[in-house]
Amino acid sequence: MSAPTVDTPPTDNSPTDNPPTAASTVQASSAGSATAPPVAVHSAGSVLRRARRGQLRHVSASSTFLSCHQVAEALVPITIGLAVDRAVATGDGASMLRWLAVLLGLFVALTCAMRWGFRANLRAVQGAGHDLRMLVADRVLDPRGGASADQLPGQLVALATGDALKVGMFNYALAMAISGIAGVGVAVVVLARFSLSLTGLVVAGTLLLMVITHFLGRPLERRSAAERATMAAATGLAADLIAGLRVLKGFGGERPAVERYRTASQRALGATLRAAAAESTIRAVAVALAGGLLAVVTLGAGRLAAGGSISIGALITAVGLAQFLVDPLNRITGFGAQRAQSLASAGRIAAVLNAPPAVVERAPTVPAGADRQAGPARPESRLRLEKVTVGSVRDLDLEVRAGEFLGVVVADPHEAAAVLGVLARDADPASGALLLDGTAVTDLHPDTVREVVLVAPHDAVLFEGTVLDNIRSATQAETGGDLGPVVTAAGLDDLTEVLAEGLHTRLRSGGTSLSGGQRQRVALARALAAAAPVLVLHEPTTAVDSLTERRIAEGLRRLRGGLSTVCVTSSPAVLACCDRVVVLDGGTVTTEGTHADLVHTNPRYRELVLA
């Protein structure tokens, strides 16, 4: 069964020979409104309503078919009772055959209705889960960021799978509850023919069950929220441990890591057991009350039959209906338990959807490059940090001149990470501004900025596929252009000698089949293939030997000639090829100059670079 389709706007994947520039993208962004559209505020209830509204057609179909199933099932004891009174008691064989045919028709009808109803129900559940997964994915992939700030990747996966499905199950419970009400309604109408007291008893018992399960559902909602939170934390920790297993084995950290996971898993187990205890309490109370109601209705019908008020067929009908009521009553009470669990998961999804953006954007939220003007690349893109304060960095003034190869030496890795976060538009500075060709980046769409300023992190992740697929993933077209210069500049030209299939070698997940130096060079080649007007690299050569490092430094300068390049590094080989080197120490720029001059005149520089 196929999942519901989601209409997506067409995208332009046509190849381009020229990289985007700040000048062209600024014009595109400034063409729209100066204010961003309001951000919708989500709650657990609104997420639940969205899941229901989005699948209203399937929920309605499921409710209709399942109600037909319940009505047909309720008609079975009624038909049997009539057959006893009008065929068995009178000895009419022809009438008996007619009633048997009616019974056969009822069983065919209830079987088909149940099958079609559950099929529509499954569509409603899976469709709602798919819709919520796409909603969470859109929020996580929002260019403004912020959704994954406090969440491990594994936690987000658990949210988009387990919690989305839990919310989708609300549609299942809703359709089942509606069909249960239909079944109870038929039973009440039929029992009213025999005794108003029995009818009132059934109605009162049904309402009592609904009220009790509603109040019992409150602790279940809280415990389900704790269960999903601890389960997601354990899943996220497991995903991180698996991703870093190779590193853990390198320094013997497996045992502490396993202990951490064991603690998280035990915490999740405890929360799951507490939630299961609350759910079992609801179901036990519901079964006990339904059983008690069945006994009372049966007793009342027996007394009526013993007093001659109703026939034997009517007694069979009343007892059969009383027994039948257990199923629709369970469906009605099950709705309360499932609603509590769905609300808990919906609240977790709403928290991610409501996460504040990591960066301010005053430009309209439109796809980057959607209105970008075509034309030749303009390499004179300039980047300037003006009085930027972020983390321990204070009032940083730094300009990346057009076409400059700038080296930045940072004494504190935390300061380097903070500045790189601002350049990548992953975070806004506490004060100051980042200017792109004189325009504040907050006046541009984040994707627009990232098309011009590409920040390649030190711990870049490789994707599944071939080496060539990874390099081409940074280009706008799958075919790309001639990647020979990129491969050479990144020091990958010897890969054909090391790997049997060269650039066409398929990688394992995360590129673990390559050495650390090979992975680093593939990531560098991918960044270079993007041909961004401003490229920011963070320690791109830490895993290669000194000879390869020098070749890469020279290749970078040659390939990026005319384009602005920033390299945050302490590598003497790379810094020697830079036009200018800036030292960031103690949260401020302490000195700048060429590598050769600083080596001879600045002891602190020698300590940071040559030690």
Side-chain angles (χ1 to χ4, degrees):
M1 181 170 54
S2 60
T5 58
V6 179
D7 293 330
T8 55
T11 56
D12 181 13
N13 291 325
S14 57
T16 177
D17 295 329
N18 300 311
T21 63
S24 59
T25 50
V26 166
Q27 293 179 12
S29 294
S30 61
S33 171
T35 59
V39 178
V41 177
H42 300 270
S43 65
S46 69
V47 171
L48 216 57
R49 288 191 295 273
R50 179 189 178 96
R52 184 185 69 245
R53 286 198 305 267
Q55 301 299 317
L56 192 58
R57 179 167 63 91
H58 296 307
V59 172
S60 299
S62 176
S63 301
T64 301
F65 285 125
L66 292 177
S67 295
C68 290
H69 167 267
Q70 288 287 282
V71 170
E73 197 166 12
L75 290 176
V76 169
I78 297 172
T79 303
I80 293 174
L82 291 173
V84 169
D85 282 342
R86 299 183 183 181
V88 176
T90 61
D92 188 345
S95 179
M96 185 60 141
L97 290 175
R98 286 194 297 271
W99 286 113
L100 288 176
V102 172
L103 273 177
L104 177 61
L106 285 175
F107 278 109
V108 170
L110 67 88
T111 300
C112 292
M114 181 176 66
R115 179 178 179 181
W116 296 334
F118 278 114
R119 183 176 180 179
N121 209 327
L122 181 61
R123 286 180 177 270
V125 171
Q126 296 297 336
H130 171 78
D131 178 57
L132 292 176
R133 281 192 294 274
M134 294 301 99
L135 192 65
V136 171
D138 286 343
R139 178 61 191 91
V140 172
L141 296 176
D142 189 307
R144 295 168 296 178
S148 57
D150 300 321
Q151 303 274 352
L152 292 172
Q155 289 177 295
L156 292 172
V157 171
L159 188 82
T161 52
D163 285 295
L165 185 60
K166 282 278 188 183
V167 176
M169 286 297 293
F170 174 78
N171 289 337
Y172 167 84
L174 178 61
M176 293 290 282
I178 291 173
S179 67
I181 292 173
V184 171
V186 172
V188 166
V189 170
V190 174
L191 288 174
R193 294 177 60 246
F194 308 137
S195 169
L196 290 177
S197 60
L198 290 180
T199 304
L201 188 62
V202 171
V203 172
T206 302
L207 293 176
L208 179 63
L209 275 172
M210 295 176 67
V211 171
I212 290 176
T213 53
H214 172 73
F215 283 104
L216 290 178
R218 293 180 177 178
L220 177 58
E221 182 180 343
R222 293 192 297 270
R223 294 184 182 186
S224 292
E227 174 200 5
R228 295 305 310 167
T230 54
M231 188 69 71
T235 303
L237 182 59
D240 275 10
L241 291 180
I242 292 172
L245 190 59
R246 194 173 182 179
V247 177
L248 288 171
K249 288 183 177 180
F251 59 85
E254 302 102 317
R255 187 174 297 278
V258 169
E259 287 301 322
R260 283 183 60 202
Y261 177 71
R262 180 179 287 110
T263 301
S265 182
Q266 288 175 342
R267 192 178 299 116
L269 175 62
T272 301
L273 291 176
R274 287 189 292 273
E279 183 178 5
S280 62
T281 299
I282 293 177
R283 296 195 180 277
V285 170
V287 170
L289 290 177
L293 186 60
L294 167 63
V296 172
V297 171
T298 302
L299 178 62
R303 290 175 62 87
L304 291 174
S309 300
I310 60 175
S311 64
I312 297 300
L315 174 62
I316 293 173
T317 297
V319 174
L321 284 175
Q323 188 173 10
F324 156 76
L325 280 171
V326 173
D327 181 36
L329 288 175
N330 282 337
R331 295 187 179 200
I332 294 172
T333 55
F335 173 75
Q338 184 57 59
R339 180 179 179 274
Q341 293 178 315
S342 296
L343 270 174
S345 290
R348 284 173 40 77
I349 291 176
V352 171
L353 298 179
N354 290 333
V359 296
V360 174
E361 178 224 352
R362 291 192 287 267
T365 305
V366 295
D371 300 315
R372 189 173 63 237
Q373 297 179 352
R378 295 181 59 180
E380 64 273 15
S381 298
R382 293 173 291 103
L383 192 66
R384 177 173 177 79
L385 290 91
E386 192 173 82
K387 300 293 182 182
V388 166
T389 295
V390 55
S392 58
V393 178
R394 294 288 180 269
D395 295 328
L396 175 61
D397 277 313
L398 178 63
E399 181 174 4
V400 183
R401 300 162 188 163
E404 181 182 31
F405 190 2
L406 176 66
V408 179
V409 177
V410 185
D412 186 348
H414 295 93
E415 293 180 357
V419 174
L420 288 169
V422 171
L423 294 176
R425 293 295 284 135
D426 291 334
D428 279 329
S431 62
L434 175 63
L435 306 178
L436 182 58
D437 284 346
T439 301
V441 294
T442 50
D443 292 332
L444 305 172
H445 189 276
D447 278 349
T448 299
V449 178
R450 293 179 185 127
E451 286 183 350
V452 180
V453 182
L454 173 61
V455 177
H458 171 68
D459 54 350
V461 177
L462 300 185
F463 312 119
E464 290 189 19
T466 66
V467 174
L468 194 58
D469 290 338
N470 271 270
I471 297 174
R472 283 180 172 168
S473 65
T475 62
Q476 290 192 357
E478 286 296 321
T479 55
D482 179 16
L483 295 178
V486 169
V487 170
T488 301
L492 277 174
D493 37 5
D494 64 342
L495 207 61
T496 53
E497 301 175 4
V498 179
L499 302 177
E501 298 181 59
L503 296 179
H504 296 283
T505 301
R506 296 199 67 83
L507 303 180
R508 296 175 189 166
S509 178
T512 55
S513 53
L514 299 179
S515 68
Q518 289 169 341
R519 287 199 302 272
Q520 193 171 52
R521 284 179 285 166
V522 172
L524 175 59
R526 181 173 60 191
L528 293 175
V534 181
L535 176 62
V536 182
L537 301 171
H538 183 209
E539 296 289 5
T541 60
T542 54
V544 300
D545 59 82
S546 57
L547 181 60
T548 304
E549 188 175 29
R550 183 174 181 82
R551 284 177 49 216
I552 290 174
E554 293 172 350
L556 278 173
R557 183 175 181 84
R558 184 169 54 252
L559 182 69
R560 295 285 301 172
L563 298 175
S564 302
T565 306
V566 180
C567 195
V568 180
T569 182
S570 58
S571 164
V574 176
L575 294 170
C577 292
C578 293
D579 298 319
R580 181 168 58 107
V581 177
V582 172
V583 178
L584 181 60
D585 192 7
T588 185
V589 174
T590 57
T591 186
E592 66 175 85
T594 65
H595 171 70
D597 289 343
L598 292 175
V599 166
H600 288 95
T601 62
N602 195 302
R604 178 59 173 164
Y605 182 78
R606 289 196 297 269
E607 179 185 346
L608 294 173
V609 173
L610 302 180

